[in-house]
Amino acid sequence: MTPVATATTQTSQLGWFSRAEAWLDNKGKGAWIAAMVLGFIFVWPVGLALLLYMIWSKRMFSKSRSVSCGRRRMHTMTSTGNSAFDSYRDEMIRRLEDEQKSFEEFLQRLREAKDKSEFDQFMDEREKKAKDEAEEAVKEDA
């Protein structure tokens, strides 16, 4: 049997609800949301039922996009068969990671320097305020 014939045989044995669910799953999360919105527009209990079903079956909160991005990242680390390109790619990735690390360290030093200058400014203003208050107290006593 061909895959199409197998899929047709399997879906024809399913009930209408299971076929609709499989069809919406093939179309993606957007199809589920569109069906829910249309359900709310035409017959609100249908939209509410679809919303509750999406939440109950965890279709609403699935992370399908992040999983595919993770698979793509793992795919880039596999060998292409061209050893020269693979070594160039690995070296370039290593260099970029080193640059990213050094840039993040630079940003951290920059933040620390900014925090230190702001703290020094705060302490100078506090000292000046205390000195001004002490001078006013001396003037009032005199």
Side-chain angles (χ1 to χ4, degrees), residues 123-142:
M123 292 302 287
D124 290 342
E125 289 174 358
R126 183 175 172 215
E127 183 179 332
K128 181 180 176 187
K129 183 178 178 183
K131 191 182 287 186
D132 289 344
E133 288 176 359
E135 287 177 4
E136 286 180 26
V138 170
K139 286 182 185 178
E140 290 177 3
D141 289 338

Side-chain angles (χ1 to χ4, degrees), residues 68-137:
S68 66
C69 289
R71 287 182 188 153
R72 189 178 330 134
R73 185 175 298 129
M74 290 301 290
H75 178 69
T76 60
M77 298 309 241
T78 60
S79 176
T80 61
N82 185 339
S83 61
F85 175 75
D86 288 343
S87 63
Y88 166 77
R89 180 191 60 198
D90 294 341
E91 178 64 23
M92 183 62 70
I93 289 173
R94 187 192 60 75
R95 281 185 34 223
L96 288 172
E97 288 172 348
D98 290 345
E99 285 183 28
Q100 180 181 4
K101 182 180 174 188
S102 63
F103 183 69
E104 288 172 354
E105 290 171 354
F106 167 75
L107 287 178
Q108 184 62 33
R109 289 193 310 268
L110 192 64
R111 286 184 197 109
E112 290 172 359
K114 182 181 175 190
D115 289 347
K116 184 177 180 345
S117 68
E118 288 175 353
F119 179 72
D120 291 342
Q121 181 183 2
F122 168 75
M123 292 302 287
D124 290 342
E125 289 174 358
R126 183 175 172 215
E127 183 179 332
K128 181 180 176 187
K129 183 178 178 183
K131 191 182 287 186
D132 289 344
E133 288 176 359
E135 287 177 4
E136 286 180 26

Side-chain angles (χ1 to χ4, degrees), residues 12-74:
S12 65
Q13 294 172 352
L14 300 174
W16 68 270
F17 182 78
S18 298
R19 282 193 309 251
E21 181 182 18
W23 185 82
L24 286 171
D25 282 340
N26 286 337
K27 300 297 180 189
K29 191 187 290 189
W32 280 99
I33 293 172
M36 179 188 63
V37 169
L38 290 173
F40 273 116
I41 290 172
F42 294 113
V43 183
W44 70 267
V46 172
L48 184 62
L50 278 170
L51 175 64
L52 293 175
Y53 179 73
M54 287 171 59
I55 292 171
W56 173 76
S57 66
K58 297 187 173 65
R59 280 179 169 74
M60 187 76 136
F61 306 108
S62 66
K63 306 246 189 241
S64 60
R65 187 172 192 185
S66 65
V67 170
S68 66
C69 289
R71 287 182 188 153
R72 189 178 330 134
R73 185 175 298 129
M74 290 301 290

